[in-house]
Amino acid sequence: MSHFTHMKTRFQNLFYLEKALNRLNISYTQQLSNSDSYHTNLVIPQSNGYDIQFCWSGETYELVVDMSFWEQLYPIENFIDKIAQQYAGEVIIGESQKMGFQPVKYQQNSDGSNTLILERWNNDK
């Protein structure tokens, strides 16, 4: 018997969530939400057929998974942490660019942390 777990996240922006998954080389597909035709869910396929989903809850994208069939390289907590770290970096880059900053360096360090350097030139004379 399947028991789906719904894990709350702070992922609110689909664009940044997709960028985070891409940066981590996590394959996914888009699927229209069953409950809300304005939002898209993300499906991460697993070879056992029990896919992982990020489903729009009305406020955030919740991770929906049957824990009995978890087939990823990392435990679920590490999986979410890695995505959250990349998501945060993508939000910082994207929102900073709206204010005129440009990323100069984005580096993943051996200790698991990320280094992000942004710059903005003052064109006022």
Side-chain angles (χ1 to χ4, degrees):
M1 178 183 273
S2 294
H3 297 286
F4 287 100
T5 301
H6 292 253
M7 296 184 70
K8 292 194 181 289
T9 70
R10 295 185 187 263
F11 308 141
Q12 297 176 322
N13 187 299
L14 179 66
F15 177 73
Y16 294 135
L17 179 55
E18 287 183 296
K19 287 187 72 109
L21 293 174
N22 288 333
R23 189 174 289 274
L24 292 167
N25 295 315
I26 297 173
S27 299
Y28 64 89
T29 58
Q30 292 184 344
Q31 182 181 71
L32 285 178
S33 172
N34 293 333
S35 61
D36 179 356
S37 61
Y38 295 106
H39 287 93
T40 301
N41 295 334
L42 300 181
V43 178
I44 300 170
Q46 296 194 119
S47 62
N48 62 12
Y50 292 91
D51 298 338
I52 301 167
Q53 294 188 36
F54 281 101
C55 297
W56 182 249
S57 71
E59 295 179 10
T60 62
Y61 282 91
E62 291 184 352
L63 182 71
V64 179
V65 62
D66 186 332
M67 295 299 293
S68 304
F69 297 100
W70 183 257
E71 216 180 54
Q72 298 301 305
L73 296 175
Y74 311 106
I76 193 163
E77 295 81 11
N78 294 26
F79 183 78
I80 289 291
D81 287 347
K82 287 181 178 298
I83 294 172
Q85 184 179 30
Q86 295 304 320
Y87 180 87
E90 294 301 336
V91 169
I92 291 167
I93 291 171
E95 297 303 309
S96 297
Q97 286 179 321
K98 292 176 184 176
M99 295 184 287
F101 288 89
Q102 293 300 315
V104 175
K105 178 180 177 183
Y106 192 105
Q107 173 183 317
Q108 292 182 312
N109 303 314
S110 59
D111 66 356
S113 66
N114 292 331
T115 300
L116 175 59
I117 299 174
L118 303 166
E119 71 179 6
R120 179 172 75 173
W121 293 94
N122 187 354
N123 291 331
D124 296 338
K125 295 182 181 181

